[in-house]
Amino acid sequence: MAENRASQYTEGTPCWVDAQLPDVEAGKRFYGELFGWTFEDQPTGTVRALKDGDPVASLAHKTDGRLPTVWTVSFCTPDADRLCARIRAAGGQVVAPPAPFGDLGRTALVTDPEGAVFSLWQPGTAAGFGRRHEPGAFAWVQLYARDTETANAFYGDLFHDALFGEGADPDFGRASVTEVFAPEMPPHLLVHFAVTELEPAMEEVTRLGGRVQVPPFSTSYGTVAVVTDNQGASFALLRR
């Protein structure tokens, strides 16, 4: 378990994922059956998902129906204010500036220059994933960009040590939108959860009211299928 702790994460390492859903109870049923998660309510109003007793994700109620139903990845940082300033200087935007999230840490919502949304997490009492890189837990996040040169420059500078530093083993990759999705799909970051086998997992997604958005395809980091849950939030299943 020690290798999962965000206290050891380099700035720019994915350390948490959360879903904004219209119906959190429906989300608990879906992901509980799909991944074997259990849940506990948090003082912040969110629901923390646990895998074998360890935190792996959170679900939150989407208060504004105009907002997308979506999974969002958070990247670790020791100083969210400083990183937000660097994001602005590099052409990104700060949607929600750094703010306390109880005593768990500080969070900010930002975009890259093309508008792909992600979060920053400055740990307090909550370091990050309790489990990752195993079935039912976070395994990878892939950026789908239109302008891959701009993306390479932005993230390569912003998260240089996590991506290219000594001993780096990143959980973050980049591809062109048109490699998988229709050309009109906006740039976005796609959260991947590990599964033992893809076909049974896809069947379970469908049984639970979700759908397969993109059938299995091979990548440099494993075999992937893109799916949506029963409320329309997209994520990927990854078999390595």
Side-chain angles (χ1 to χ4, degrees):
M1 292 298 299
E3 69 93 19
N4 287 321
R5 299 304 183 187
S7 60
Q8 297 185 356
Y9 292 167
T10 301
E11 183 171 61
T13 301
C15 65
W16 196 247
V17 290
D18 65 272
Q20 298 285 326
L21 303 173
D23 186 338
V24 170
E25 289 302 314
K28 288 164 65 175
R29 291 190 294 271
F30 181 92
Y31 292 102
E33 292 195 41
L34 180 62
F35 293 137
W37 292 352
T38 57
F39 301 91
E40 59 183 19
D41 293 335
Q42 297 295 292
T44 54
T46 62
V47 174
R48 185 163 64 173
L50 309 174
K51 180 68 175 178
D52 298 327
D54 292 312
V56 292
S58 59
L59 310 180
H61 176 63
K62 185 175 70 170
T63 56
D64 187 339
R66 295 169 296 181
L67 296 175
T69 301
V70 66
W71 277 98
T72 302
V73 63
S74 294
F75 293 92
C76 190
T77 177
D79 188 336
D81 294 292
R82 181 183 60 83
L83 190 53
C84 280
R86 291 180 61 207
I87 287 169
R88 288 192 187 97
Q93 297 185 22
V94 176
V95 179
F101 198 70
D103 64 351
L104 301 177
R106 300 178 74 230
T107 183
L109 189 67
V110 299
T111 78
D112 69 14
E114 288 198 309
V117 177
F118 59 98
S119 290
L120 309 178
W121 182 251
Q122 180 180 328
T125 60
F129 295 122
R131 290 177 182 266
R132 57 179 180 162
H133 304 159
E134 61 184 66
F138 170 84
W140 187 263
V141 61
Q142 186 80 341
L143 169 69
Y144 286 96
R146 292 191 188 284
D147 184 342
T148 53
E149 290 187 7
T150 294
N152 289 347
F154 178 81
Y155 291 99
D157 177 67
L158 201 68
F159 300 147
H160 182 273
D161 288 348
L163 293 172
F164 308 115
E166 184 178 355
D169 186 16
D171 295 329
F172 178 30
R174 189 271 299 155
S176 171
V177 168
T178 55
E179 289 182 22
V180 176
F181 297 99
E184 61 270 17
M185 174 69 74
H188 63 286
L189 290 107
L190 183 66
V191 171
H192 293 49
F193 295 103
V195 295
T196 304
E197 296 293 342
L198 281 176
E199 290 297 334
M202 290 189 297
E203 290 174 3
E204 189 71 353
V205 165
T206 302
R207 184 187 71 81
L208 293 168
R211 67 182 182 89
V212 176
Q213 188 176 2
V214 180
F217 59 97
S218 296
T219 73
S220 61
Y221 53 91
T223 305
V224 175
V226 183
V227 300
T228 64
D229 67 15
N230 56 343
Q231 299 179 69
S234 294
F235 61 98
L237 306 171
L238 172 62
R239 179 178 62 79
R240 283 179 156 148

